[in-house]
Amino acid sequence: MSPQPPPPIPSRLAPVERAVEILDALPGGGVILSKVEYLLNWSRAASLWPLTFGLACCAIEMMAAFAGRFDLDRMGVIPRATPRQADLMIVAGRCTIKMAPIVRRLWEQMPEPKYVLSMGSCATCGGPFYYDNYSILKGIDQVVPVDVYVPGCPPRPEALIEGILKLQEKIKAEPFLRRSLAAKA
Amino acid sequence: MTHLATRAWDAVTGLYLGLRVTWGALVRPKNTVKYPVEKVNVSPRWHGLLALPIDPETGSDRCIICFQCERVCPDRCIHIEAAGKGKDRVLTRFDIEMDKCCYCGLCVEVCPTEAIVFVPHYEASTFNRANLLYNLEDLRRAAPKEPIAHGVIRMRGSR
Amino acid sequence: MALRTEELMLNMGPQHPSTHGVLRLVVTLDGENIVDVAPDIGYLHSSVEKMMEYRTYLQNVALTDRGMDYLTALANEEAYLLAVERLGGISVPPRARWLRTIMLEFQRLSSHLVWLGTWGIDLGATTVFLYCFRERERILDLFEQVTGGRLHHVYFRPGGVYEDLPAGWTDRALEFCDEFLDRLQEYHDLLTGNPIFLARTQGVGVLPREAAINMGACGPVARASGVDFDVRKAFPYEAYGEVEFDIPVQTAGDCFARYLVRMEEMRQSVRIIRQAIGNLPPGEIRSKVQVTVKLPRGEVYARTESPRGDLGVYLISEGEEVPYRVKIRAPSFSNLYALTEMMRGWKVADVIAILGSVDIVLSDVDR
């Protein structure tokens, strides 16, 4: 007897998706949808909560960015200590092969929609630890999908803020409500 | 009883001293730089992005293809190729992997003609890692590939 | 107490807001009391010692900044270059030696400020973090004007330093020193008299003198336990033999003593900077050394006092352009040994206070 495949888990978003689908089909519904979407995206972009997750040197510059002089709180970026409350992961510093599964697990623990910002040379591609090295991961994008790369070794706090501003642009342009329709099409 | 009184007195004085500092900080000038609007004037020695500036006399860069920077780079992120022989030698490729670069400045130090320099740009974040491979044209432009150009950016006064 | 419960294994880290990096602590608990602590390290092992064997002596300077203790980049360069210069017989001009002294002491200030700020956050005093980073930004500005880097400088070279000071820098540095002493008094006002801070640190995490010596603790941790030893005094390097400064020593061995030692060290650093700027001789800043310098065959050990403690570099050369072997004796690593001794018997809430007071940097532990 072959094992039965498990029944599909009903998604919590399913009613919302259906409502979006119906609204999209109505005359003039697309305009309302766009406005709602704009509002949602605007509020999402204005309160990006990153996971306080420092790996190496770039974490010190990340701390400097949260401190008084550069003050990332102005952008609505408030560090959270647990991945359950975070929607942005700033990978600051080099990631070892030993650490990589933990980074992946933290990323999986974050609720959707989630973003990853790779800060510094080491997180982007291994940086100075690319050659002659047996322990450093050659880029965090081998483990988690990265949205924005910030170069620098370490980047200035301003460069990190610029990366977050770039991510906000990306969030604002996303089809947040219609992404399931886009996936189906 | 006296012990309790000393403890209470210590608590009051400790609280007073601490609060005096925090209230004093309230009236001191702010040190926050409102970044996208204002900017910190970085020092002229700041290790920003690398560039091959154009020499106005010759209309080209000053690189004499000596491969010194490629050799000294601890990250091996500079790749140079040249064609031709003798005086006709021209640069065909000058790539810097800006994502691998550690901004140590050894290439700037060993360059005999000051062809490769640091520019005070640091805003080069990108959605795609391939954009961080700077080729000859990008380096001659001496600017990040996707500059942030929203709103008016004015420099902060001398500080 | 005769009452015991079943032992509980508690895992702290590697992602924990208060472990100062990617340290994993496996804490064995009896109720709320700590029975044993086993640090699990290696989450930031960057194999920098192996990488150094493939890079020339000049290129390795860029690597010491990043691969070792990232809060004290210049102290790492100093330890490594001291070994290179001793083995190669490379002379350093007097001005370069004094410049290095100034920079090392500024590095000590910035490192201790990060420690104080993050420890303050751990103990619930967020204000201290903001104030410490305000002062640290000013030090980083001073660094940026000289070296061009905020965190990683690559400023020291075999046989000197890269660039001379810019015009007017010494005035700005002295101005900062004057102001910093006032700020240091503010930190004392915020923390030293605070009853909550005292309750969490005084008498907590005691490391006796004998245990500190046996465990190989070094730096401020050992000095807080009554070990009167500082490499800057015992084996002077650079210009430390020619400046006057005191070594702060406490005998209590608890978290509060470690705090007091570091606070006093900052005051002494300011004192050294003032003397060094006053005595700064004119002249050359760098002796002539080839880019690909070849050191003679031999071995050398150089020890320095980094802000964390006794930082040593053991260098073996086979007469080639690259070192044969570089071994780094990391202060955080030996202080991590003493951690178990300090924590045993205390409550689980004290883990963070004790860990913060030891001031380890995981990049230094794992290398």
Side-chain angles (χ1 to χ4, degrees):
Chain A
M1 191 181 141
S2 62
Q4 289 288 320
I9 302 159
S11 168
R12 209 150 48 89
L13 278 173
V16 179
E17 280 169 11
R18 224 173 300 131
V20 166
E21 216 163 327
I22 293 164
L23 194 61
D24 208 21
L26 287 177
V31 179
I32 299 170
L33 209 59
S34 296
K35 287 289 167 197
V36 173
E37 207 169 64
Y38 175 79
L39 192 69
L40 279 175
N41 279 342
W42 174 77
S43 51
R44 275 190 324 131
S47 70
L48 273 177
W49 286 3
L51 178 66
T52 55
F53 177 52
L55 287 170
C57 349
C58 293
I60 308 297
E61 289 295 74
M62 189 172 76
M63 273 154 61
F66 284 122
R69 190 173 176 200
F70 299 105
D71 200 9
L72 259 179
D73 292 5
R74 291 178 299 125
M75 314 283 164
V77 178
I78 301 166
R80 309 304 299 175
T82 160
R84 309 279 183 198
Q85 300 171 350
D87 44 18
L88 166 66
M89 185 175 179
I90 301 176
V91 183
R94 51 187 180 272
C95 177
T96 54
I97 292 169
K98 188 175 179 181
M99 193 67 197
I102 294 151
V103 175
R104 174 75 191 186
R105 177 179 291 181
L106 285 169
W107 179 79
E108 282 167 356
Q109 283 175 345
M110 279 162 48
E112 286 277 357
K114 51 196 171 188
Y115 304 93
V116 178
L117 189 146
S118 154
M119 182 181 179
S121 294
C122 304
T124 303
C125 78
F129 301 95
Y130 189 84
Y131 293 107
D132 313 323
N133 195 306
Y134 54 84
S135 62
I136 300 286
L137 203 66
K138 311 281 186 276
I140 195 67
D141 46 7
Q142 296 182 5
V143 186
V144 292
V146 179
D147 291 290
V148 175
Y149 297 92
V150 181
C153 191
R156 283 182 76 89
E158 293 107 305
L160 174 63
I161 297 174
E162 195 248 344
I164 287 175
L165 290 177
K166 259 218 151 75
L167 185 62
Q168 288 184 349
E169 279 171 33
K170 181 178 181 170
I171 291 172
K172 281 178 187 166
E174 265 181 355
F176 179 54
L177 283 174
R178 290 178 230 190
R179 65 186 191 280
S180 56
L181 302 183
K184 265 182 215 162
Chain B
M1 195 60 202
T2 46
H3 175 61
L4 203 66
T6 17
R7 275 191 68 183
W9 176 246
D10 285 350
V12 168
T13 48
L15 207 62
Y16 166 72
L17 283 174
L19 284 179
R20 202 181 60 180
V21 173
T22 44
W23 283 99
L26 192 66
V27 293
R28 246 185 251 142
K30 274 181 269 186
N31 70 337
T32 305
V33 181
K34 299 187 176 63
Y35 161 65
V37 188
E38 302 175 338
K39 281 191 178 184
V40 179
N41 267 346
V42 296
S43 117
R45 293 183 186 178
W46 164 248
H47 292 188
L49 298 173
L50 290 165
L52 295 177
I54 302 284
D55 195 353
E57 290 174 14
T58 59
S60 181
D61 54 59
R62 295 202 199 103
C63 181
I64 53 166
I65 321 172
C66 63
F67 298 100
Q68 288 239 44
C69 50
E70 192 183 18
R71 262 203 303 270
V72 84
C73 181
D75 305 341
R76 298 165 211 170
C77 69
I78 304 178
H79 308 284
I80 306 173
E81 279 170 17
K85 286 222 162 128
K87 281 189 178 176
D88 303 329
R89 218 150 68 129
V90 284
L91 268 181
T92 54
R93 179 185 178 211
F94 197 108
D95 290 353
I96 300 185
E97 298 172 63
M98 273 298 169
D99 51 351
K100 211 173 280 178
C101 176
C102 74
Y103 303 84
C104 59
L106 292 180
C107 49
V108 179
E109 184 189 341
V110 297
C111 185
T113 56
E114 296 183 359
I116 183 165
V117 295
F118 280 123
V119 287
H121 287 295
Y122 42 80
E123 296 145 330
S125 63
T126 167
F127 296 128
N128 187 358
R129 208 173 87 183
N131 281 345
L132 288 174
L133 177 67
Y134 280 34
N135 60 21
L136 195 51
E137 283 173 22
D138 296 321
L139 289 167
R140 280 179 179 158
R141 210 164 51 213
K145 264 190 176 179
E146 294 177 26
I148 180 166
H150 302 287
V152 182
I153 294 181
R154 70 188 145 84
M155 300 296 263
R156 203 167 206 222
S158 61
R159 200 178 86 88
Chain C
M1 290 291 271
L3 184 67
R4 290 183 65 85
T5 58
E6 194 183 339
E7 285 188 348
L8 173 81
M9 295 275 270
L10 180 73
N11 179 40
M12 279 184 68
Q15 192 270 330
H16 189 277
S18 303
T19 48
H20 294 237
V22 285
L23 174 65
R24 176 168 171 237
L25 290 175
V26 183
V27 188
T28 312
L29 293 172
D30 168 26
E32 213 182 338
N33 298 319
I34 300 167
V35 177
D36 198 13
V37 178
D40 181 4
I41 60 172
Y43 286 101
L44 199 55
H45 175 60
S46 38
S47 60
V48 66
E49 290 176 4
K50 193 71 191 166
M51 286 171 74
M52 278 185 174
E53 296 167 17
Y54 294 93
R55 279 155 176 77
T56 63
Y57 290 102
L58 181 63
Q59 289 175 342
N60 277 341
V61 179
L63 209 55
T64 49
D65 275 3
R66 290 154 180 90
M68 291 154 74
D69 189 349
Y70 45 74
L71 279 179
T72 61
L74 286 172
N76 302 338
E77 292 176 16
E78 173 62 31
Y80 167 72
L81 285 179
L82 214 57
V84 170
E85 279 155 9
R86 277 189 195 158
L87 188 58
I90 300 166
S91 68
V92 182
R95 186 174 171 84
R97 290 197 297 122
W98 285 89
L99 280 177
R100 282 184 182 186
T101 311
I102 296 171
M103 288 295 154
L104 285 171
E105 289 310 308
F106 268 121
Q107 186 76 78
R108 193 180 307 274
L109 282 181
S110 78
S111 166
H112 280 359
L113 283 174
V114 171
W115 158 78
L116 185 60
T118 51
W119 197 39
I121 283 196
D122 295 348
L123 295 176
T126 320
T127 334
V128 185
F129 168 74
L130 296 173
Y131 291 175
C132 287
F133 268 71
R134 180 187 63 197
E135 263 67 72
R136 185 170 177 270
E137 285 292 333
R138 296 199 52 190
I139 298 178
L140 295 191
D141 275 356
L142 288 175
F143 271 143
E144 195 187 303
Q145 286 158 10
V146 180
T147 67
R150 279 165 59 88
L151 215 55
H152 298 325
H153 308 287
V154 200
Y155 180 58
F156 299 167
R157 296 282 189 275
V161 295
Y162 178 38
E163 278 175 305
D164 209 335
L165 300 177
W169 189 85
T170 48
D171 297 335
R172 287 194 288 274
L174 285 175
E175 189 189 334
F176 169 78
C177 286
D178 293 341
E179 202 181 320
F180 183 73
L181 289 182
D182 295 344
R183 299 287 169 271
L184 206 58
Q185 188 54 44
E186 283 189 0
Y187 305 149
H188 272 299
D189 286 351
L190 276 173
L191 290 175
T192 312
N194 191 309
I196 302 169
F197 181 77
L198 289 180
R200 290 209 63 179
T201 56
Q202 220 160 24
V204 171
V206 177
L207 184 72
R209 187 172 190 273
E210 291 306 311
I213 294 169
N214 291 344
M215 292 282 171
C218 55
V221 177
R223 285 198 284 279
S225 298
V227 183
D228 188 358
F229 179 76
D230 191 318
V231 182
R232 288 177 291 172
K233 280 271 191 210
F235 306 99
Y237 54 97
E238 302 309 340
Y240 283 116
E242 299 156 53
V243 290
E244 279 181 19
F245 63 100
D246 301 326
I247 308 172
V249 179
Q250 295 277 331
T251 49
D254 56 354
C255 292
F256 191 63
R258 290 190 273 279
Y259 159 81
L260 287 180
V261 164
R262 290 211 178 87
M263 293 296 268
E264 186 55 33
E265 265 188 18
M266 283 199 249
R267 195 180 293 278
Q268 297 299 330
S269 289
V270 172
R271 203 173 144 197
I272 296 173
I273 291 169
R274 278 181 173 162
Q275 290 178 42
I277 288 178
N279 292 351
L280 196 61
E284 287 284 308
I285 56 160
R286 193 173 175 182
S287 58
K288 198 93 180 139
V289 177
Q290 275 186 334
V291 174
T292 53
V293 58
K294 282 186 187 180
L295 294 197
R297 191 181 289 263
E299 305 176 5
V300 72
Y301 181 70
R303 65 193 296 193
T304 59
E305 182 78 18
S306 96
R308 316 251 169 277
D310 192 346
L311 173 67
V313 168
Y314 189 80
L315 190 95
I316 304 177
S317 167
E318 289 280 296
E320 290 174 10
E321 289 176 357
V322 294
Y324 177 74
R325 175 86 170 94
V326 182
K327 169 81 182 86
I328 298 154
R329 190 263 184 217
S332 299
F333 185 64
S334 55
N335 283 344
L336 196 67
Y337 270 131
L339 196 71
T340 314
E341 193 72 13
M342 285 179 218
M343 283 189 184
R344 206 170 279 148
W346 293 96
K347 305 281 182 203
V348 67
D350 296 325
V351 169
I352 294 306
I354 298 169
L355 183 64
S357 75
V358 178
D359 188 19
I360 50 168
V361 167
L362 262 292
S363 179
D364 199 19
V365 174
D366 296 337
R367 300 185 297 289

